[in-house]
């Protein structure tokens, strides 16, 4: 979609996420496209003259005219706005539309080379300070936070794990859990899977947080709120931890897959969902599909990875044959040059020593499931 920005007409933008990312230069567009890949909670806007041809597919929105005319709409619809525009220009453009710190969105500015990420507006209440740190970590830039008061020394509940691609299972409890965190109430952090390096500050985790490796362990203690990181679907007796809790889905599941030529995306999806349900895993925690390079143009697989924004990794037969598997197949070797596809692909892509599901054949699909181990 392209907007023709005019002085008297406010564009009716389409919002998909909580954050807007805007670029107006050639280098800025390149940086913005890379950032959006890593920080999936953003809607990307840039000038039409930098069109790449894949904007509709990626829900990228373009505009013609002054970006100044786009900003009032962005202020109304987004929690945070990331602008790859010079700081001075941003200050001049947003000054007429500012209201108060309780309602203005967080505004972050990035220079054209991505060297500095600057918290400009609503650093605390609007979350710009934490957004600045998250974005800087993603692009390798220097965060610049200038608020005189102390920067929040705790976990931003709505941004927790975003740099790793973690998703909330539901946003229902974000506000009350955030209140518990800010008010230094007792908060349980339960992590069963996912990246461990989420606390990057050069100070200890605040004392109101307690960390546990299982939900069962956490439920043996009293807490006011909980942050739960797991790829599992919770058992009924475990769900009480979410009475004031947020459930995060880390990207840890690798699907090793083989399929007959021409297998539909619908059949592939049905097998995936059925298998994950049997294992008690959430599809929101799937990171990628791994297969043999003969399947790099398989339409059903390509449709699936595009639909869910999963990684798609293809291995050569000799790479797959270098992995020891339980059930090598001469028949598979005859047609592919590899003694197995789904099992060795899952092992290679995940780095897991053992698989959650070694191999399942269903219709035209063969599936293996691994969980990436993080230490």
């Amino acid at each position: 979609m392209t907007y023709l920005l005019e002085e008297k007409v406010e564009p009716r933008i389409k919002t998909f996420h909580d954050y807007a990312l805007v670029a107006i230069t050639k280098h800025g567009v390149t940086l913005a496209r890379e950032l959006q890949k890593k920080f999936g909670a953003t809607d990307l806007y840039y000038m039409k003259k930098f069109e790449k041809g894949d904007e509709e597919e990626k829900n990228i929105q373009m505009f013609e005219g002054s970006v100044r005319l786009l900003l009032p709409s962005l202020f109304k619809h987004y929690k945070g706005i990331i602008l790859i525009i010079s700081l001075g220009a941003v200050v001049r453009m947003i000054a007429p539309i500012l209201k108060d710190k309780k309602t203005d969105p967080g505004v972050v500015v990035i220079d054209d080379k991505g060297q500095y990420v600057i918290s400009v507006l609503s650093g605390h209440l609007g979350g710009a300070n934490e957004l600045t740190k998250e974005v800087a970590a993603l692009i390798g830039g220097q965060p610049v936070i200038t608020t005189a008061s102390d920067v929040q020394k705790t976990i931003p509940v709505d941004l927790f794990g975003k740099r790793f691609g973690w998703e909330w299972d539901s946003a229902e409890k974000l506000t009350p859990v955030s209140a518990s965190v800010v008010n230094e109430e007792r908060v349980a952090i339960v992590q069963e899977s996912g990246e461990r390096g989420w606390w990057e500050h050069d100070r200890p985790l605040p004392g109101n947080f307690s960390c546990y490796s299982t939900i069962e362990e956490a439920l043996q203690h009293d807490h006011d709120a909980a942050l739960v990181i797991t790829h599992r679907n919770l058992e009924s007796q475990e769900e009480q931890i979410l009475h004031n809790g947020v459930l995060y889905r880390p990207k840890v599941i690798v699907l090793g897959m083989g399929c007959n030529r021409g297998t539909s995306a619908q059949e592939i999806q049905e097998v995936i969902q059925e298998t994950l349900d049997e294992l008690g895993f959430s599809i929101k925690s799937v990171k990628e599909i791994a297969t043999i390079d003969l399947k790099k143009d398989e339409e059903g697989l390509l449709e699936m990875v595009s639909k869910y924004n999963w990684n798609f990794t293809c291995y050569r037969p000799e790479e797959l044959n270098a992995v020891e598997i339980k059930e090598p197949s001469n028949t598979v070797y005859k047609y592919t040059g590899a003694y197995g596809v789904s099992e060795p692909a899952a092992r290679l892509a995940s780095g897991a020593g053992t698989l959650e599901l070694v191999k399942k054949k269903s219709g035209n699909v063969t599936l293996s499931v691994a969980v990436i181990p993080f230490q």
Side-chain angles (χ1 to χ4, degrees):
M1 178 177 290
T2 302
Y3 303 102
L4 180 59
L5 303 180
E6 301 178 9
E7 287 284 355
K8 297 181 180 180
V9 180
E10 182 175 328
R12 295 183 178 181
I13 61 177
K14 294 179 67 176
T15 60
F16 299 95
H17 299 96
D18 289 335
Y19 301 93
L21 174 58
V22 183
I24 61 172
T25 67
K26 177 181 178 181
H27 295 298
V29 168
T30 300
L31 176 60
R33 287 172 64 95
E34 289 300 314
L35 175 56
Q36 189 194 36
K37 289 180 184 178
K38 300 174 182 177
F39 190 35
T42 58
D43 291 338
L44 177 54
Y45 298 81
Y46 54 70
M47 299 186 76
K48 184 174 174 56
K49 66 180 180 179
F50 301 117
E51 184 175 1
K52 306 292 184 182
D54 61 353
E55 283 78 10
E56 183 175 355
E57 173 190 344
K58 298 180 180 296
N59 289 324
I60 295 171
Q61 302 174 69
M62 297 177 290
F63 60 88
E64 295 180 276
S66 173
V67 68
R68 172 179 61 83
L69 303 177
L70 181 65
L71 290 175
S73 290
L74 300 185
F75 261 58
K76 291 179 182 179
H77 292 93
Y78 289 98
K79 179 177 181 177
I81 303 172
I82 306 165
L83 302 167
I84 308 179
I85 303 173
S86 71
L87 177 59
V90 169
V91 171
R92 293 188 189 95
M93 289 189 291
I94 68 174
I97 57 177
L98 300 183
K99 293 182 178 179
D100 62 69
K101 65 181 181 179
K102 294 181 180 180
T103 59
D104 290 333
V107 175
V108 172
V109 165
I110 308 175
D111 69 279
D112 216 39
K113 290 187 176 181
Q115 294 178 303
Y116 299 99
V117 183
I118 308 167
S119 177
V120 177
L121 181 70
S122 298
H124 289 290
L125 290 180
N129 288 350
E130 292 299 335
L131 182 60
T132 292
K133 290 184 281 186
E134 292 291 329
V135 171
L138 286 171
I139 67 174
Q142 176 65 46
V144 179
I145 298 171
T146 60
T147 45
S149 59
D150 61 317
V151 177
Q152 292 180 4
K153 298 179 180 180
T154 189
I155 293 174
V157 174
D158 61 332
L159 294 175
F160 191 40
K162 282 291 184 183
R163 73 176 65 132
F164 306 123
W166 296 1
E167 295 183 28
W168 321 310
D169 211 50
S170 167
E172 180 185 358
K173 297 292 184 178
L174 283 176
T175 299
V177 172
S178 294
S180 292
V181 169
V182 170
N183 292 326
E184 298 183 342
E185 296 175 356
R186 299 167 300 174
V187 179
I189 300 176
V190 182
Q191 184 166 17
E192 297 185 340
S193 56
E195 293 85 349
R196 304 287 168 166
W198 43 263
W199 184 256
E200 292 190 340
H201 304 293
D202 58 357
R203 55 182 179 270
L205 190 68
N208 60 305
F209 292 98
S210 299
C211 296
Y212 305 97
S213 58
T214 67
I215 295 173
E216 180 182 9
E217 181 184 4
L219 288 174
Q220 296 174 9
H221 301 81
D222 293 327
H223 299 98
D224 301 297
L227 309 178
V228 181
I229 309 123
T230 183
H231 61 284
R232 290 191 307 109
N233 296 326
L234 271 57
E235 302 288 344
S236 57
Q237 66 271 19
E238 296 175 317
E239 291 181 354
Q240 60 180 298
I241 199 166
L242 299 179
H243 77 279
N244 191 35
V246 178
L247 178 58
Y248 299 89
R249 296 304 191 185
K251 300 296 185 179
V252 295
I253 298 174
V254 173
L255 305 174
M257 183 167 293
C259 65
N260 293 331
R261 180 62 70 181
T263 304
S264 69
Q266 180 179 350
E267 181 178 355
I268 293 171
Q269 177 165 344
E270 288 173 354
V271 173
I272 289 173
Q273 189 62 68
E274 175 187 87
T275 304
L276 292 176
D277 289 344
E278 292 169 352
L279 293 170
F281 294 169
S282 170
I283 197 169
K284 291 183 179 180
S285 280
V286 173
K287 180 181 180 67
E288 70 182 287
I289 287 179
T291 188
I292 192 168
D293 60 4
L294 292 173
K295 296 296 179 182
K296 63 185 177 183
D297 61 348
E298 188 68 50
E299 291 186 5
L301 293 178
L302 292 174
E303 186 176 333
M304 283 297 297
V305 297
S306 176
K307 176 179 180 179
Y308 289 99
N309 197 29
W310 293 338
N311 294 341
F312 188 44
T313 305
C314 299
Y315 295 103
R316 301 187 307 275
E318 55 268 31
E319 293 179 291
L320 298 174
N321 289 337
V323 178
E324 184 177 349
I325 60 176
K326 292 185 176 181
E327 300 177 5
S329 170
N330 289 322
T331 301
V332 174
Y333 180 82
K334 177 182 177 181
Y335 290 101
T336 68
Y339 287 101
V341 174
S342 66
E343 182 184 353
R347 291 184 185 277
L348 284 171
S350 67
T354 59
L355 300 182
E356 304 298 321
L357 174 67
V358 175
K359 187 167 65 175
K360 170 184 175 178
K361 184 75 168 66
S362 178
N364 292 299
V365 178
T366 302
L367 183 63
S368 300
V369 180
V371 173
I372 299 172
F374 287 100
Q375 300 300 324

